[in-house]
C-alpha cells in the first residue's frame, strides 16, 4: 500500500504554481456554461503550454471591490497563489461608488497580495458615461495610478472589441456571449503569458 501511495505522490507535480482569478461576473462566465468562459480557455491554454500552473477562479457575479477585499485574506491563505488577476471595479463604477473608495479597496488588495509575494495583474476597467465624462475618465484613471504606484502591470481593457458590439453581448448589453470569450482571452493572454515566463 505504501508503494502505491508513494507512486501517487510522485505523479503529482511538486512545483505546481497557482494562478488566482479574482473578479466579477465577467470572469465568472455569467449566463454561460462555466467551461465557455475565458477563464476556462485560460485553463486549457495553461494545460497545453504551462503544465506547472493551475487556475483557481474565485470570481463572483455582482462582486464589488469591498466584497473582494473582505474575502481576499482567506483566499490568499487557502490557495497561496504566485499570480493574481485582479478584475474588480466594474460593479462599483456602474453604481457610482466614490472613486476614493474604489481606489482604496483595490489598493488594499494589492498590498495584501504583495505582502504575500503574489504578483498582481490589475485589469483596467471602463464603464458607460452614465455618471458624466469626468467620473468615467477618473474611474479608469484609478487603475493606472495604482499600477504606477505599486509597480503593477495593468492589463488594457479586456472587453476591447466586445463591449458595444450587440452581437457579442447577451441581451442585457453588459455580459459577453460565448462567442465573445475567445476574443476576451486573446486580449488578456499576452500579458498573462509574460507574467508566467
Amino acid at each position: 500500500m505504501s508503494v502505491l501511495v508513494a507512486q501517487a505522490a510522485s505523479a503529482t507535480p511538486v512545483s505546481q504554481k497557482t494562478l488566482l482569478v479574482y473578479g466579477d461576473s465577467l470572469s465568472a462566465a455569467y449566463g454561460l456554461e462555466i467551461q465557455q468562459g475565458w477563464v476556462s480557455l485560460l485553463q486549457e491554454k495553461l494545460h497545453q503550454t504551462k503544465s506547472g500552473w493551475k487556475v483557481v477562479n474565485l470570481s463572483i457575479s455582482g462582486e464589488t471591490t469591498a466584497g473582494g477585499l473582505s474575502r481576499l485574506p482567506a483566499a490568499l491563505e487557502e490557495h497561496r497563489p504566485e499570480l493574481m488577476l485582479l478584475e474588480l471595479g466594474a460593479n462599483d463604477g456602474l453604481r457610482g461608488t466614490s472613486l476614493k473608495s474604489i481606489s482604496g479597496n483595490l489598493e488594499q488588495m494589492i498590498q495584501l497580495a504583495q505582502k504575500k509575494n503574489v504578483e498582481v495583474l490589475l485589469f483596467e476597467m471602463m464603464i458607460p458615461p452614465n455618471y458624466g465624462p469626468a467620473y468615467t475618465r477618473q474611474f479608469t484613471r484609478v487603475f493606472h495610478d495604482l499600477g504606477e504606484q505599486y509597480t503593477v502591470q495593468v492589463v488594457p481593457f479586456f472587453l476591447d472589441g466586445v463591449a458595444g458590439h450587440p452581437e457579442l453581448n447577451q441581451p442585457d448589453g453588459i455580459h459577453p456571449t460565448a462567442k465573445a470569450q475567445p476574443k476576451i482571452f486573446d486580449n488578456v493572454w499576452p500579458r498573462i503569458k509574460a507574467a508566467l515566463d
Side-chain angles (χ1 to χ4, degrees):
M1 185 65 126
S2 60
V3 174
L4 290 174
V5 171
Q7 286 176 338
S10 66
T12 305
V14 178
S15 62
Q16 192 170 50
K17 295 179 179 180
T18 299
L19 187 161
L20 176 63
V21 182
Y22 204 69
D24 51 30
S25 57
L26 298 170
S27 296
Y30 176 88
L32 311 174
E33 297 294 327
I34 192 69
Q35 66 269 21
Q36 294 177 307
W38 74 266
V39 176
S40 289
L41 298 179
L42 171 61
Q43 209 157 13
E44 288 172 23
K45 185 73 169 180
L46 292 181
H47 186 68
Q48 294 164 4
T49 62
K50 306 272 183 187
S51 56
W53 286 84
K54 69 172 181 177
V55 175
V56 173
N57 188 0
L58 297 186
S59 302
I60 297 177
S61 292
E63 187 65 291
T64 60
T65 57
L69 176 57
S70 70
R71 291 191 300 127
L72 188 57
L76 292 174
E77 190 62 37
E78 180 180 353
H79 298 287
R80 301 183 182 276
E82 279 73 24
L83 176 63
M84 177 171 77
L85 310 186
L86 182 52
E87 182 271 301
L88 287 173
N91 288 311
D92 301 70
L94 291 172
R95 296 174 187 183
T97 303
S98 85
L99 296 170
K100 185 177 180 182
S101 173
I102 297 169
S103 179
N105 292 334
L106 289 170
E107 181 174 26
Q108 288 181 71
M109 283 188 272
I110 292 169
Q111 289 173 339
L112 284 167
Q114 290 186 338
K115 279 178 187 169
K116 299 274 190 182
N117 295 315
V118 180
E119 184 178 355
V120 178
L121 288 187
L122 181 61
F123 280 45
E124 174 192 58
M125 306 305 287
M126 294 183 178
I127 52 169
N130 301 23
Y131 298 100
Y135 179 89
T136 305
R137 189 169 56 250
Q138 290 164 14
F139 170 80
T140 299
R141 187 71 233 163
V142 161
F143 301 89
H144 295 278
D145 288 346
L146 288 171
E148 289 171 17
Q149 186 177 349
Y150 288 95
T151 320
V152 164
Q153 186 79 235
V154 177
V155 179
F157 186 49
F158 76 136
L159 298 185
D160 185 42
V162 173
H165 294 262
E167 72 282 7
L168 294 177
N169 286 277
Q170 296 176 45
D172 62 14
I174 296 172
H175 295 98
T177 61
K179 183 181 174 185
Q181 301 300 313
K183 169 64 177 164
I184 296 172
F185 172 73
D186 287 344
N187 285 344
V188 300
W189 175 240
R191 297 302 176 106
I192 296 172
K193 182 177 183 294
L196 298 173
D197 289 341

